[in-house]
Amino acid sequence: KQVRYERLLSSSLQSLEFVLRSLSSEDEANSGLEEKVIELLEHKSVWKLSRNAATQCSFLILLATLCSHAPSVVNRHLQRLSTTVFGMLTITDAAISRPLWEAVLQLVSKYPKCWEEVNVQKLVFPNFFKMLKSGGGLNVALIFPNVLPFLSQIPRKLQGSPTLEQTVTDFQAHFFRSLREGFYSRRTDDSSNKVLLGCYLDCLRYTLLQIPRLPEVEKDEISVEEVSLAFLETQLLPFVEAIFADNFSTPVFFELLNNFIRLLLRRVQQAGQAEAVIRTDVGTPGLERHPKESELLPEQFWEEFEAILVKEIKRPGQSKVKMERLSALLVSLCRPVSPDSKVTSNNHEDPLMNMVNSAGSEALRIAHEKGSMEHLRLFARMLRTPSGGSLLRFSLQADFNGVYVRDVQTELPQLVIFTDFTSMMDIPEGREAEVFLQWVALPWLAVQQFSSSSEPPTSPTRYSAMLKLCLVEVVFAAAMHAPLDDRVRLLDQVCDMCGQDVI
């Protein structure tokens, strides 16, 4: 009998929801029905249906429909409705989560006074953070896409205000910490990881883009750089380091991190531009461009991010898998930020490219000094990108102190193919490929030729055949950045020097 009774209640709730959804707001029958619903919700026993497993789903569907179709009912019972909905935020059951979050988002978006009807610090935030820490149970893909829309509706006064002593508020610190704990507790497969990590980075980007609009910033009480750097140093960079160091590190994180950096950098570069139409950024609701967005990525952030990348490149005993993932991240970051961006080899004002070039140059140095095939392969992959010419120039100018030029240079006069410059800081635009081949790649490759001959020299180190193959790959990748008319000549000289072993 109890089961039949509960089924009857559930069916009745679904029928009422269907009628409310079907009637238009101008229909006279609808106004009469809303009065009946107001009277129905006066009974406390009705609200107990939200705690019954058999009627929970149907009751939440009804509440969501009331929020969207019956504002008079909601305004009359806003306190009970808010308490009921916010009190269920910890639920991660698949059957309940969908109608629950539909009701939550309808409530917070259409009835902003709902925050005043509940104790946010004792009811809403504790339940919300508890759900985040659980990682959404087994319904990550169902729950976490709702987190950013919910975050965007939380009033600024409830999130706290940044100060010089505490630029990251308690709410923000607790929120991102809960998201990280949820990721570490529920990471099971790439699809779930992508949702969790994507949610984390989307919320971080949204929070950063809010900074120029803070009253404290507009009043010049605190600068955009101070607040954004505090967020990046506490919520992004340590998480990046942890992911790099984690044996479980997922490749999807590096893809999402690349998108995060590029989307944010695009906003920074476009900040303050005069356009006829100001577009709203996808994924950041209600945030139009702001001139002070140009300060969101301070120079210190790039320096600290570069230090992390270089640290990972230099880490001894780095596994092949991690090197491949690091390589994939760096190669992705080598692409131009905007589709119409012009890639030049002499661009020193792009902080992203300077960071990537520094990491690539370090990989070349380690490959040269230690004969690391993985580091040389990483450098070769970066050279094959459109910005490879910039990497060549940076590598030559950053660390040209004779380390790349071995004694064998004097034995190869035929390598002198271009000499029209006075220093590595004065390489003409478009000629860095020839200089790199002359002073770095070809002498290095020649060492491999001599090492395999019957009378090897005493100084060069012997390398494996695979390293030699990687070096040939670097030579050909570098040649592709030479002027089109010179490529055939350069490659002919390479083949003449190295013989059939290169082919």
Side-chain angles (χ1 to χ4, degrees):
K1 290 183 178 180
Q2 180 65 25
V3 174
R4 290 179 60 188
Y5 175 68
E6 290 175 345
R7 287 178 179 173
L8 178 61
L9 285 176
S10 180
S11 299
S12 300
L13 291 172
Q14 292 179 35
S15 300
L16 178 58
E17 184 274 335
F18 175 78
V19 174
L20 283 169
R21 184 162 38 85
S22 301
L23 294 176
S24 64
S25 57
E26 291 114 9
D27 199 319
E28 294 182 4
N30 186 44
S31 59
L33 179 61
E34 288 184 2
E35 290 296 327
K36 294 293 183 181
V37 174
I38 291 175
E39 294 178 13
L40 176 66
L41 295 179
E42 294 289 348
H43 299 280
K44 294 182 179 179
S45 58
V46 175
W47 295 96
K48 293 181 180 179
L49 297 176
S50 64
R51 300 194 292 270
N52 188 314
T55 57
Q56 211 170 38
C57 181
S58 300
F59 190 70
L60 283 170
I61 294 174
L62 174 62
L63 293 185
T65 301
L66 288 174
C67 288
S68 58
H69 290 78
S72 62
V73 178
V74 175
N75 288 323
R76 184 71 173 270
H77 295 283
L78 186 58
Q79 182 178 11
R80 278 184 175 176
L81 195 151
S82 302
T83 303
T84 299
V85 171
F86 287 138
M88 301 173 70
L89 283 175
T90 56
I91 297 177
T92 58
D93 179 78
I96 309 300
S97 296
R98 192 182 300 275
L100 169 63
W101 279 99
E102 182 179 354
V104 168
L105 295 182
Q106 288 281 355
L107 177 64
V108 297
S109 62
K110 295 187 177 181
Y111 305 92
K113 289 187 178 181
C114 67
W115 302 102
E116 303 172 8
E117 302 294 335
V118 295
N119 189 324
V120 175
Q121 301 300 332
K122 291 185 177 180
L123 176 66
V124 184
F125 288 169
N127 287 344
F128 183 46
F129 294 148
K130 184 178 180 180
M131 184 278 297
L132 295 179
K133 291 178 182 178
S134 72
L138 299 177
N139 298 291
V140 174
L142 191 63
I143 295 175
F144 275 81
N146 301 294
V147 172
L148 176 58
F150 181 72
L151 175 66
S152 68
Q153 296 297 329
I154 299 177
R156 168 54 55 184
K157 63 180 181 179
L158 296 178
Q159 298 186 38
S161 301
T163 62
L164 289 174
E165 294 76 22
Q166 187 180 18
T167 48
V168 179
T169 66
D170 290 337
F171 167 82
Q172 293 163 337
H174 200 167
F175 170 75
F176 287 108
R177 183 170 61 250
S178 299
L179 277 175
R180 291 194 297 271
E181 290 181 17
F183 166 69
Y184 285 120
S185 67
R186 295 303 308 170
R187 50 187 186 175
T188 53
D189 54 74
D190 282 347
S191 60
S192 296
N193 291 335
K194 186 172 185 177
V195 175
L196 287 165
L197 294 169
C199 174
Y200 186 90
L201 294 175
D202 285 345
C203 290
L204 181 57
R205 185 163 67 100
Y206 173 80
T207 304
L208 287 170
L209 291 175
Q210 287 276 17
I211 293 174
R213 299 157 179 82
L214 295 175
E216 295 78 12
V217 172
E218 293 178 347
K219 295 176 184 178
D220 293 328
E221 296 175 3
I222 192 170
S223 69
V224 173
E225 287 190 5
E226 289 173 320
V227 183
S228 63
L229 184 60
F231 267 102
L232 294 167
E233 287 183 331
T234 59
Q235 310 305 326
L236 177 64
L237 295 179
F239 192 40
V240 172
E241 282 193 283
I243 293 291
F244 271 127
D246 190 2
N247 291 328
F248 190 81
S249 62
T250 171
V252 73
F253 173 75
F254 302 112
E255 172 189 340
L256 294 170
L257 178 62
N258 171 53
N259 293 336
F260 169 84
I261 293 174
R262 300 172 75 81
L263 287 172
L264 197 57
L265 184 58
R266 187 179 302 172
R267 289 284 297 229
V268 168
Q269 292 177 344
Q270 294 174 346
Q273 290 182 354
E275 295 189 4
V277 179
I278 299 180
R279 299 179 179 85
T280 299
D281 192 16
V282 177
T284 52
L287 289 183
E288 295 180 343
R289 290 177 184 153
H290 192 287
K292 287 191 176 182
E293 286 179 2
S294 60
E295 305 172 24
L296 283 175
L297 294 175
E299 183 178 349
Q300 187 174 341
F301 161 71
W302 295 109
E303 293 174 355
E304 295 180 11
F305 195 5
E306 177 185 322
I308 293 176
L309 294 176
V310 172
K311 177 183 175 181
E312 290 304 314
I313 290 175
K314 296 169 66 174
R315 187 186 297 275
Q318 191 75 283
S319 68
K320 181 178 178 180
V321 173
K322 287 191 176 181
M323 283 298 296
E324 289 178 351
R325 291 173 181 175
L326 180 60
S327 173
L329 172 63
L330 291 171
V331 169
S332 298
L333 292 174
C334 284
R335 298 197 308 268
V337 173
S338 301
D340 55 349
S341 298
K342 183 179 180 181
V343 179
T344 65
S345 63
N346 202 18
N347 185 4
H348 300 291
E349 299 182 0
D350 188 337
L352 174 60
M353 287 311 306
N354 287 338
M355 179 187 72
V356 172
N357 288 341
S358 179
S361 179
E362 183 64 23
L364 175 63
R365 186 190 65 79
I366 294 175
H368 196 275
E369 290 182 357
K370 301 182 179 180
S372 171
M373 184 173 63
E374 297 300 332
H375 288 84
L376 191 58
R377 183 176 286 118
L378 186 155
F379 184 78
R381 289 187 63 185
M382 295 177 70
L383 273 189
R384 289 198 295 269
T385 65
S387 57
S390 174
L391 174 58
L392 290 176
R393 177 178 293 272
F394 187 96
S395 299
L396 290 167
Q397 294 178 346
D399 197 22
F400 187 79
N401 55 7
V403 67
Y404 296 138
V405 183
R406 298 175 180 268
D407 295 338
V408 73
Q409 174 73 36
T410 59
E411 303 178 32
L412 299 171
Q414 68 271 28
L415 292 178
V416 181
I417 55 180
F418 178 70
T419 57
D420 189 19
F421 69 100
T422 57
S423 73
M424 287 300 168
M425 305 304 294
D426 191 34
I427 303 174
E429 178 73 25
R431 313 299 293 197
E432 51 279 326
E434 293 186 48
V435 177
F436 179 81
L437 289 173
Q438 173 186 344
W439 292 101
V440 182
L442 295 182
W444 193 2
L445 183 59
V447 171
Q448 314 310 309
Q449 298 299 108
F450 294 159
S451 297
S452 60
S453 66
S454 57
E455 297 180 358
T458 57
S459 57
T461 305
R462 294 180 181 274
Y463 296 99
S464 67
M466 289 300 296
L467 181 65
K468 178 180 174 180
L469 195 60
C470 290
L471 186 53
V472 171
E473 188 178 347
V474 169
V475 170
F476 277 81
M480 292 300 102
H481 293 284
L484 185 61
D485 295 338
D486 295 336
R487 290 180 188 175
V488 175
R489 174 179 59 82
L490 289 174
L491 292 177
D492 283 344
Q493 291 192 19
V494 171
C495 293
D496 290 342
M497 186 198 76
C498 300
Q500 294 298 317
D501 290 344
V502 176
I503 308 298

